[in-house]
Amino acid sequence: MSTETKDHAALADDFNKDEDRVDWHDETLWWIRQKRDKAVNKLPDWELLRATASAIKNNVLSNLSAYLQEFEAKAQNNGIIVHWAADAKTHNKIVLDLLNAKGIKQMVKSKSMLTEECHLNEYLENNNIEVIDSDLGERIVQLAKEPPSHIVLPCIHKKKEEIGELFHLHLGTDKGNSDPQYLTETARQHLRNIFITRRAALTGVNFAIAETGEFVVCTNEGNADMGAHLADIHIASMGIEKIIPERKHLGVFLRLLTRSATGQPITTYSSHYSKPRDGKEIHIIIVDNGRSKQLGRADFRNSLKCIRCGACMNTCPVYRRSGGHSYHNAISGPIGAILAPNLDMEKFADLPFASTLCGSCSNVCPVKIDIHQQLYKWRQVIVQNGYAPAAKKAAMKLMSITLSSPFLYHTSGKAGRLVLRFAPFAVNNRFNPWFKQRDMPAPPNQSFGEWYAKNR
Amino acid sequence: MKVGLFIPCYVDQFYPGAAIATLQLLEKLGVDVSYPKNQTCCGQPMANSGFAHLTGGCDKLFTENFRHFDYIVAPSGSCVLHIKEHLHSNEYADDAASIRNKIYELSAFLTDILQVESLPSRFPSRFPFKVGVHQSCHGQRGLYLSQMSELVAPGFSKPGKLLNMVEGIDIVPLNRPDECCGFGGTFCVAEEAVSVKMGKDRVEDHLSHGAEYITGVDMSCLMHMEGILRRQGSKVKVIHLAEILNSYQ
Amino acid sequence: MNDREQIINAIAANQPAFSPSPATHFSAGDQEGLASQFADTLTAIGGVVFIVDSLADIHQHIKDNTSAEHRVISRIGGIAGYSEDIDTTLSPHSLQDVEIAVLKAHFGVAENGAVWLTEELMGNRVLPFICQHLMIALYMKDIVANMHKAYERIGSNSYGFGAFIAGPSKTADIEQSLVMGAHGPKTMTVFLIRS
């Protein structure tokens, strides 16, 4: 799939060519949003929990350098080996070196958006290491040679018939059988064999506790644990922002995370890794990759509070109708749109504009990130840095001049009513995109201003 | 109490009926209201497109036009939110700050400042139709005109409270009471496919519940939905909240 | 400058002014009927709950519901002729054919149906994940209302590995159809023991 040259609008346009599929995608995600609503409404303390989680994360960001060092010391004390990676390249190199040192050629990996961000699989494959993703959804997109389209539901864009076909091709299931129970059982058998035979397992990290040096991994499938407890070496990759100060804070975050994500009261497994098994190794790689830079952007730093629940995607009316791949970034949806420009402002200049600024994302966010406000602010930064299309710049300049002058406004308004040339929604007049699927408002005989002058 | 009427540019140009209804409504409620004729636009179209640095002229004009009023009232949640969050003026810094606090969207002004508790006691209002209420996002999530479905908090609705005072009105329920319509300013043309799909879905929710009218506090959302309704050949009409409150049918 | 210094320096330079950690006081939740709340919640997320009087009842239940060729590992006392115990030196790979694991939990959490186990209760870290069916013995008195109470109870205890487990392994990755038994146990049964 080539997404390199197309922006969000163009990719969303492609996605919308099949309206039934858009409806299906929208309804599926809306159903998850409804499950979330049902779950959170059972907790009278919900808004207090959100406020508390937000305040804990503010504390984390304000004291992050100390917390990271505290975590490192405690983890080392527990017998965990800690590595630091300033960027994706270093992270990938550390993983490769660890595998090479043990002569390991195959690794099993549970969900880690960070490794998606670092394009670890690609890198390892280029270095003759086979990686198998063990989360069912991730395994499905891996077989399809696609990136995940959602951080919690990696193959939410795929229909079961397509998955049945993939499994038939790669795992030998019966052609035409797309029963989820049957396909899941097949994946269970296939991956069980992988878990049993892999000597290295990589997992993500949901929370790393500064106070104790332990880290927590949450899954429903149990795939992180199956990998880690059967392997000789467990590598856990974490962004610097995964730190929380104290163990008791898990009480707050674990109450919020899964209710926000899927409406479950908690994930099936919330595994607390503190020490390696006798004779085995746990390695933690602490990764920056642009995060410390984002920390320095006062308007955008609190995007680092994100706990990757995906609620903003499920609620986003644009995400639901454009699909995760339209964001052409490892992390899609509203949160992806405020994280990505920090990594590459030019490449992701389109993402903050892929929103109506409706604000629903900020309301569901369990750590109260002001996502829609940051989308607005990124738009300003992107334009100021020169990444706005020239035609748009010219149109905006003209609009600014017109609207700053009552005379020009009234003159062009008269003309504008006939052709709607002036209207804010019609400034981008390339192929008159308004008119393609919508009628224009019927032009009135006179403006309100003209009526007022005559009648009052 | 002197009230300045702020009529957003697209309402002025395309929906004078909503503006007239707003003016008449305020007059019927005994408000000393006037319309500064040199007003143009709040500047939001530029700002939301990333060109906030080009809104200085609009800001200056807005401040000059409205700084002498006790309150500023507009039949739009979106434009009011923009002024509240972004109006700045180097020349009249204090005035701009004061305007940010005294500007009100119409339903909020009627509910919070005029404290309208019943319409028949003030003037007759009758609208015997099935009406779907569109919650515009900026009014709802920005100005808190009504409770948001994402939050765990008691429900309320300022526009809903006012509409319930109208005789004969039948408000239809919706499957998604506060989903965005997809207008989004320049989003409606820059992201045409998604914008239209959102609009179609929003309209369908109202239609499937038998709405004869779709109302709301923002003409921009309604204009977008009207464009879709008319393209579909639907007889369903859009109407601003002020026009319902101001009618006797 | 190595990556560690580089990262820590960049963070120190860019982090905002200190913001204090908030209080974390939450309502204790409904203290009445914790056992029934726990049972209802766990059942709703795919678990099975039985109320029994003693460990012997659990043994009997297992005998009544499994056949002798199944490998059963019990960590709540041996079931004569039925179960084996394990020690921590056992290779985790040797557990791949375990049909049933019977483990004791430290406590359960009423609001989400989770039970808390640490490594020593598991015998082997992989056991609660690799078995086909997981059975948990939990005393009714050991149910706390919510996760805040849960961490109060864990306190500063030290463990090599610990996990909250809430129901069978599951996935809904294929069109949001819920399927039990993704990689881990296909069922989870909790025996609530009257205290």
Side-chain angles (χ1 to χ4, degrees):
Chain A
M1 194 179 69
S2 166
T3 60
E4 289 304 310
T5 52
K6 288 191 171 182
D7 66 1
H8 181 275
L11 292 165
D13 195 45
D14 292 345
F15 190 76
N16 274 271
K17 296 253 157 51
D18 183 350
E19 188 168 358
D20 286 345
R21 199 183 180 96
V22 178
D23 287 337
W24 166 78
H25 192 260
D26 167 65
E27 289 290 347
T28 307
L29 287 152
W30 181 254
W31 183 62
I32 301 166
R33 157 76 205 274
Q34 287 177 303
K35 287 201 294 181
R36 173 257 176 217
D37 288 355
K38 215 171 139 191
V40 307
N41 275 291
K42 283 184 189 155
L43 295 193
D45 272 348
W46 183 254
E47 300 303 335
L48 176 62
L49 274 170
R50 288 176 71 221
T52 306
S54 172
I56 294 170
K57 284 285 188 177
N58 284 339
N59 168 256
V60 168
L61 296 184
S62 75
N63 196 32
L64 188 55
S65 59
Y67 283 141
L68 276 168
Q69 291 174 79
E70 183 186 354
F71 173 74
E72 177 191 38
K74 295 284 168 57
Q76 285 169 340
N77 226 15
N78 293 338
I80 291 174
I81 301 153
V82 179
H83 309 259
W84 299 75
D87 53 28
K89 205 175 135 199
T90 312
H91 165 264
N92 294 349
K93 177 85 166 44
I94 292 170
V95 175
L96 180 66
D97 288 349
L98 287 170
L99 298 175
N100 281 343
K102 297 215 178 307
I104 294 172
K105 289 284 167 205
Q106 296 175 309
M107 182 175 81
V108 65
K109 176 162 87 67
S110 70
K111 201 184 281 167
S112 150
M113 290 316 297
L114 175 59
T115 60
E116 294 289 337
E117 175 187 319
C118 295
H119 301 288
L120 175 70
N121 285 17
E122 234 178 290
Y123 171 84
L124 290 179
E125 274 152 29
N126 291 336
N127 285 280
N128 300 316
I129 307 275
E130 179 209 63
V131 184
I132 290 195
D133 286 321
S134 60
D135 173 86
L136 178 59
E138 292 220 317
R139 184 68 185 132
I140 290 166
V141 290
Q142 189 180 31
L143 290 174
K145 298 191 179 357
E146 288 174 13
S149 67
H150 186 292
I151 58 175
V152 173
L153 318 158
C155 68
I156 194 72
H157 61 291
K158 280 225 163 321
K159 296 218 173 191
K160 62 183 180 194
E161 290 76 17
E162 295 162 339
I163 297 166
E165 188 56 31
L166 267 176
F167 276 33
H168 170 66
L169 231 76
H170 295 277
L171 304 178
T173 55
D174 298 337
K175 189 161 178 64
N177 194 337
S178 57
D179 174 43
Q181 183 87 41
Y182 168 70
L183 297 177
T184 303
E185 178 63 27
T186 305
R188 175 185 175 92
Q189 300 306 334
H190 155 67
L191 284 160
R192 227 161 218 259
N193 186 48
I194 303 288
F195 288 128
I196 294 291
T197 52
R198 295 307 184 263
R199 288 166 55 214
L202 189 144
T203 70
V205 169
N206 288 92
F207 305 99
I209 323 306
E211 175 192 33
T212 61
E214 72 197 296
F215 63 94
V216 174
V217 182
C218 303
T219 73
N220 279 320
E221 299 182 6
N223 56 317
D225 291 286
M226 285 290 275
H229 303 320
L230 288 164
D232 294 340
I233 167 171
H234 171 188
I235 304 169
S237 296
M238 60 174 268
I240 54 171
E241 79 282 19
K242 292 292 170 188
I243 293 279
I244 58 174
E246 299 173 57
R247 186 187 272 169
K248 72 172 184 193
H249 292 146
L250 285 167
V252 175
F253 289 104
L254 292 182
R255 293 186 88 190
L256 287 164
L257 177 64
T258 323
R259 287 183 173 94
S260 298
T262 62
Q264 293 170 260
I266 189 168
T267 45
T268 304
Y269 305 106
S270 309
S271 298
H272 298 48
Y273 292 84
S274 185
K275 295 170 190 159
R277 280 143 51 217
D278 279 346
K280 309 298 177 194
E281 295 171 15
I282 296 181
H283 296 260
I284 288 176
I285 310 176
I286 300 173
V287 185
D288 183 341
N289 203 38
R291 287 164 176 73
S292 62
K293 187 177 174 198
Q294 185 88 323
L295 188 63
R297 299 182 194 265
D299 283 342
F300 305 113
R301 64 166 57 108
N302 86 24
S303 61
L304 296 171
K305 288 153 73 173
C306 177
I307 57 171
R308 303 290 190 266
C309 71
C312 61
M313 302 175 181
N314 305 339
T315 203
C316 178
V318 176
Y319 175 89
R320 279 189 261 112
R321 292 176 185 82
S322 62
H325 290 156
S326 65
Y327 293 81
H328 56 95
N329 180 42
I331 299 182
S332 56
I335 184 68
I338 61 172
L339 290 171
N342 175 57
L343 295 172
D344 186 337
M345 209 184 292
E346 185 171 12
K347 186 175 172 196
F348 300 116
D350 54 325
L351 295 188
F353 294 91
S355 164
T356 59
L357 306 181
C358 83
S360 186
C361 48
S362 304
N363 276 351
V364 295
C365 179
V367 289
K368 302 189 82 160
I369 301 171
D370 54 342
I371 303 175
H372 73 293
Q373 304 282 13
Q374 293 191 38
L375 288 167
Y376 173 88
K377 288 172 184 166
W378 268 121
R379 293 179 184 188
Q380 314 307 325
V381 172
I382 283 162
V383 168
Q384 299 279 1
N385 280 274
Y387 298 119
K392 192 171 171 186
K393 276 189 220 167
M396 287 295 156
K397 190 84 195 153
L398 185 67
M399 185 187 279
S400 162
I401 292 165
T402 310
L403 293 174
S404 301
S405 153
F407 173 75
L408 286 176
Y409 169 77
H410 290 128
T411 322
S412 72
K414 265 194 210 336
R417 274 203 302 285
L418 302 175
V419 293
L420 296 160
R421 192 164 55 90
F422 162 75
F425 56 83
V427 288
N428 180 346
N429 220 352
R430 276 181 308 173
F431 304 105
N432 201 352
W434 175 277
F435 192 67
K436 213 168 129 194
Q437 301 186 69
R438 285 163 291 207
D439 278 2
M440 307 288 189
N445 297 327
Q446 57 186 351
S447 70
F448 173 72
E450 288 159 355
W451 178 91
Y452 189 85
K454 283 179 212 151
N455 291 280
R456 289 292 186 278
Chain B
M1 177 168 74
K2 290 182 81 65
V3 170
L5 182 63
F6 163 43
I7 298 300
C9 49
Y10 64 94
V11 177
D12 174 48
Q13 294 292 322
F14 301 119
Y15 294 98
I20 293 167
T22 304
L23 176 72
Q24 291 177 341
L25 196 57
L26 290 169
E27 287 172 345
K28 281 196 253 181
L29 288 162
V31 176
D32 177 8
V33 55
S34 58
Y35 173 78
K37 69 177 172 50
N38 278 343
Q39 60 181 288
T40 59
C41 168
C42 63
Q44 181 175 208
M46 279 98 73
N48 280 7
S49 302
F51 292 80
H53 60 286
L54 296 182
T55 58
C58 283
D59 280 2
K60 179 167 179 283
L61 204 53
F62 195 94
T63 313
E64 284 169 353
N65 277 316
F66 288 104
R67 64 194 171 122
H68 298 301
F69 290 101
D70 299 314
Y71 291 102
I72 299 115
V73 176
S76 161
S78 191
C79 304
V80 167
L81 180 67
H82 176 77
I83 293 293
K84 271 196 169 306
E85 289 187 337
H86 301 295
L87 182 75
H88 288 284
S89 167
N90 291 334
E91 213 169 332
Y92 315 103
D94 292 348
D95 288 331
S98 149
I99 287 173
R100 292 199 297 272
N101 285 322
K102 62 191 187 188
I103 186 164
Y104 281 82
E105 177 281 328
L106 176 67
S107 73
F109 185 73
L110 297 187
T111 312
D112 300 348
I113 303 302
L114 298 186
Q115 304 198 343
V116 173
E117 291 297 334
S118 102
L119 284 179
S121 65
R122 319 288 282 262
F123 58 84
S125 178
R126 189 162 178 271
F127 197 74
F129 298 101
K130 295 180 88 161
V131 176
V133 182
H134 175 68
Q135 301 287 354
S136 65
C137 303
H138 288 175
Q140 189 200 25
R141 297 194 184 87
L143 297 173
Y144 310 111
L145 297 183
S146 50
Q147 190 52 273
M148 301 154 271
S149 64
E150 300 91 359
L151 301 188
V152 178
F156 69 91
S157 168
K158 293 174 190 178
K161 185 179 168 184
L162 292 166
L163 285 170
N164 279 324
M165 297 173 194
V166 175
E167 197 189 319
I169 197 166
D170 180 4
I171 309 244
V172 302
L174 296 173
N175 292 341
R176 302 187 190 182
D178 56 5
E179 173 124 315
C180 178
C181 70
F183 173 67
T186 47
F187 179 88
C188 75
V189 286
E191 288 265 3
E192 189 263 350
V194 177
S195 172
V196 167
K197 181 59 183 150
M198 286 168 70
K200 282 164 80 174
D201 290 354
R202 204 80 303 280
V203 162
E204 182 52 34
D205 198 354
H206 290 269
L207 295 183
S208 69
H209 288 90
E212 297 165 274
Y213 285 86
I214 301 176
T215 191
V217 302
D218 265 291
M219 236 27 250
S220 50
C221 308
L222 296 178
M223 171 172 70
H224 171 59
M225 287 191 281
E226 181 185 47
I228 286 162
L229 284 167
R230 286 182 44 186
R231 180 59 60 91
Q232 292 175 345
S234 171
K235 298 244 182 309
V236 170
K237 296 189 187 74
V238 300
I239 185 168
H240 192 274
L241 174 88
E243 295 174 280
I244 293 184
L245 299 181
N246 192 46
S247 55
Y248 190 85
Q249 296 196 30
Chain C
M1 192 162 57
N2 65 27
D3 282 50
R4 182 184 183 278
E5 287 166 21
Q6 189 185 325
I7 294 169
I8 288 172
N9 290 348
I11 293 170
N14 287 344
Q15 67 195 18
F18 185 76
S19 167
S21 193
T24 50
H25 300 304
F26 294 90
S27 56
D30 190 1
Q31 295 299 307
E32 293 298 305
L34 288 181
S36 64
Q37 197 196 337
F38 174 86
D40 290 348
T41 310
L42 182 57
T43 307
I45 56 177
V48 177
V49 177
F50 288 108
I51 294 170
V52 297
D53 289 312
S54 65
L55 292 177
D57 289 350
I58 303 174
H59 290 181
Q60 194 57 48
H61 178 96
I62 293 166
K63 277 188 162 182
D64 292 347
N65 290 284
T66 53
S67 68
E69 72 266 21
H70 286 146
R71 187 175 178 197
V72 178
I73 291 179
S74 171
R75 300 274 299 162
I76 60 162
I79 310 172
Y82 238 90
S83 69
E84 56 182 300
D85 199 356
I86 50 166
D87 66 53
T88 50
T89 58
L90 205 65
S91 140
H93 296 81
S94 68
L95 299 169
Q96 60 173 303
D97 60 347
V98 171
E99 184 72 9
I100 295 175
V102 194
L103 309 175
K104 184 181 175 301
H106 289 293
F107 62 85
V109 185
E111 71 161 328
N112 55 26
V115 294
W116 172 249
L117 288 87
T118 47
E119 191 163 25
E120 62 280 10
L121 293 181
M122 299 173 185
N124 189 302
R125 287 184 191 188
V126 85
L127 185 57
F129 304 95
I130 204 168
C131 61
Q132 298 292 326
H133 303 277
L134 177 63
M135 298 192 175
I136 298 288
L138 175 67
Y139 285 96
M140 268 190 197
K141 66 174 171 54
D142 293 326
I143 296 177
V144 300
N146 58 35
M147 292 300 281
H148 310 298
K149 292 287 168 197
Y151 281 102
E152 262 175 42
R153 180 142 174 178
I154 294 172
S156 57
N157 290 345
S158 158
Y159 43 77
F161 174 75
F164 283 103
I165 301 179
S169 158
K170 60 171 86 71
T171 180
D173 274 343
I174 302 177
E175 280 201 10
Q176 285 299 293
S177 300
L178 186 61
V179 179
M180 302 299 177
H183 301 298
K186 295 175 174 176
T187 67
M188 179 196 191
T189 306
V190 172
F191 295 94
L192 283 180
I193 306 165
R194 290 193 186 92
S195 310

